[in-house]
Structures are given as structure tokens and as C-alpha cells.
Amino acid sequence: MLFSSQQSSNAKTPKPILWVVVLASLLLTGCVQYDVGVNFSNSNHGELVQHIKLGERLTSFSGDYVYEWLNSIERRARKLEGKAKRISPEEVIVTIPFTNGQELQEKFNEFFSSRINQKTEPVAAESDSELPKVESNLLIEENNFLLLVRNRLIYDLDLRSLSLIASDGNVLANAGSILDLNFSLKTPLGAQNIPIGENPIDPEKTNNQLVWKLRTGELNHIEVVFWLPSPLGIGALLIALFVWGGIYLRYTFMPDPRLQFAPKAAVSE
């Protein structure tokens, strides 16, 4: 997620400078905080929110490159009809709206896809092949039950390439000490986590929000089921109740129109 989006800017960085930046980053702890949140209001509205904060020691050493990376995040967010709020030169909050689960799936996967950058940037230099590759995929399954929509969210993030960052076979550092990655899901009715595998990630729950702390060096699998209110279904039910209520009142408390407007019988002679 993090390194795949960095790939386009690193493609332009000469190899010696690139590794100076990487080596400097590895000497610092807690360099990058990256929080990704999916917030649902209902089945027809939600936001994908990303909060990225860079350590001051990292930006003071290699500010030009990391600032360009933040700028590339802002550009890709605007391409997906999102907006970015720059809290500081080292911190940005990106918000991308979506109208349903299918649109969330498409925008999420497009934003974090390294293949998108490969199509728009020149062929990467030899040094780029040494950077870790991260695969990310989000899947949303929806089932409509009139008033409620059942959603099943499946998220796979392969961070095994970040277990150890190395150059020429020499281990430089553990990426877990550099990256702080979190994924969260917030829904109006809460959600149920489905543990899968031998060592599943247990989320922290706060009100209607679940937060998973992603593990570097592992294949992270998140699976969760949640229900969302359906405005379309609720609106259809209200209309049906309104029509039924009008018919009930008309024929219960008012004269039958068939008798009221019936022709009068002829007066017998």
C-alpha cells in the first residue's frame, strides 16, 4: 500500500540518492503513519479516508522526495473525485466519496494499484526493481433485503515483501519499526469481524468502528460482515404505508363513495 504508491516518484530518483534516502529512513523509528478508513453512512453513501503523517526527522533529511510522494497522493485523490486537506507539510488527510460498495471497490483498488502508476510513468530504472512490491485488493459483496443491505468486505494486503528491507543480500532494517499501518471500518450499525486463518488479526472496537493494525512481513487478510440501512427500501416502505393509511382512513371514517354518488332511484308513481 505504501511502497506501491511510492513507486512512481522513486522511478525518477537516481540510485545513489534513492538508497541514501532509504538508509536514512531505516535509521529512524516511526517514520510513516498511514491510516486508511472506510466510513459508511448508509448503503448509498460513504467516504474513503486516508490520514498520512511523516516523521519530522525523515522530512528534514529527504523532504523533496517525500513531499513529492504526498503531492502524488493528492493528485490521485482528485482524479477519483476526492479532496485533500494539508494539515502541515508532513501531514495530509485525503477523502474520497463513494455511493455504493461497488464504487468503493473500484476506487479503492485503483488508488492503491501499482499498475496504474506503471502505465503513466516511464519504465522504472534498475534501482526500482529492488523496492518491495505490495499487492492490495478490496472486495465488497452486497445482498439487498429491502430495508437493509448485507455487506461482506474482504481485504487482502500482502506485506510479506516488507518483512526485511535489504540491499545486495544485506538486511538493513525491519519495516515494522518504520511503518505504522492501520485499516478501519465504521458503519452505523456496527460490524462483525470474521477471523480467518491460523493467526487472524483481532481488531480494536470503539463504538461502531473496527480498527485493524496491519502486520508488516505478513499476508494480511480482513473479512467482516455488516448491515447498512437502505434509503431506497425505507422510502418505498414509507410510501406504501402512506398509501395504505390514506385508503384505510378514506373507507373507515368517510362514507363509501359508491353509495354517496350512486344515482337516486326513480320516485314511484
Side-chain angles (χ1 to χ4, degrees):
M1 175 169 55
L2 178 65
F3 282 87
S4 62
S5 57
Q6 258 183 312
Q7 186 175 358
S8 60
S9 58
N10 285 336
K12 302 177 182 180
T13 308
K15 183 175 180 179
I17 299 178
L18 170 65
W19 281 113
V20 169
V21 174
V22 174
L23 285 170
S25 303
L26 296 175
L27 297 176
L28 309 177
T29 59
C31 288
V32 180
Q33 177 183 346
Y34 203 130
D35 298 327
V36 179
V38 176
N39 302 330
F40 279 94
S41 300
N42 52 61
S43 61
N44 294 334
H45 182 265
E47 291 180 334
L48 170 61
V49 181
Q50 301 171 63
H51 184 190
I52 304 101
K53 186 176 182 180
L54 306 177
E56 293 182 0
R57 289 177 294 177
L58 171 62
T59 56
S60 63
F61 188 89
S62 55
D64 293 341
Y65 303 105
V66 293
Y67 291 149
E68 175 57 29
W69 175 60
L70 291 181
N71 293 336
S72 70
I73 290 179
E74 294 179 338
R75 290 192 296 268
R76 284 184 285 127
R78 287 190 288 267
K79 183 180 178 181
L80 297 175
E81 301 177 345
K83 58 183 180 180
K85 180 179 180 181
R86 205 67 175 258
I87 305 300
S88 69
E90 301 81 18
E91 186 176 3
V92 63
I93 297 178
V94 172
T95 305
I96 301 176
F98 58 86
T99 56
N100 52 53
Q102 183 63 33
E103 185 178 6
L104 166 64
Q105 176 179 315
E106 294 175 356
K107 288 187 174 182
F108 190 100
N109 292 332
E110 180 177 349
F111 188 93
F112 291 110
S113 174
S114 60
R115 292 186 295 271
I116 300 300
N117 296 328
Q118 292 174 358
K119 293 179 181 179
T120 57
E121 297 291 338
V123 178
E126 180 182 353
S127 60
D128 294 315
S129 62
E130 301 174 10
L131 294 176
K133 299 297 189 298
V134 176
E135 295 296 331
S136 170
N137 185 68
L138 181 77
L139 175 65
I140 297 284
E141 299 176 353
E142 295 178 308
N143 299 104
N144 199 325
F145 291 87
L146 187 59
L147 301 182
L148 296 173
V149 178
R150 183 181 185 274
N151 294 263
R152 187 183 188 95
L153 183 148
I154 302 174
Y155 181 43
D156 288 301
L157 180 64
D158 191 351
L159 297 178
R160 289 175 293 187
S161 61
L162 301 184
S163 57
L164 294 172
I165 301 179
S167 175
D168 299 329
N170 299 319
V171 175
L172 300 179
N174 188 334
S177 63
I178 303 170
L179 308 177
D180 183 10
L181 308 178
N182 297 286
F183 178 82
S184 65
L185 173 66
K186 185 176 182 180
T187 62
L189 303 179
Q192 179 183 0
N193 181 58
I194 302 177
I196 301 293
E198 298 180 356
N199 189 23
I201 306 176
D202 295 324
E204 297 181 1
K205 185 174 182 180
T206 304
N207 297 328
N208 292 330
Q209 184 177 39
L210 297 178
V211 181
W212 292 265
K213 187 173 182 61
L214 303 177
R215 302 167 180 167
T216 56
E218 298 183 18
L219 175 59
N220 294 265
H221 179 84
I222 295 175
E223 197 161 333
V224 59
V225 172
F226 56 96
W227 294 80
L228 296 173
S230 173
L232 183 61
I234 294 175
L237 178 62
L238 292 177
I239 293 175
L241 291 175
F242 180 79
V243 173
W244 178 85
I247 295 175
Y248 176 79
L249 293 176
R250 178 66 182 86
Y251 287 97
T252 301
F253 298 99
M254 299 181 66
D256 191 333
R258 293 173 297 180
L259 300 177
Q260 184 178 1
F261 298 102
K264 297 182 178 180
V267 180
S268 57
E269 295 180 356

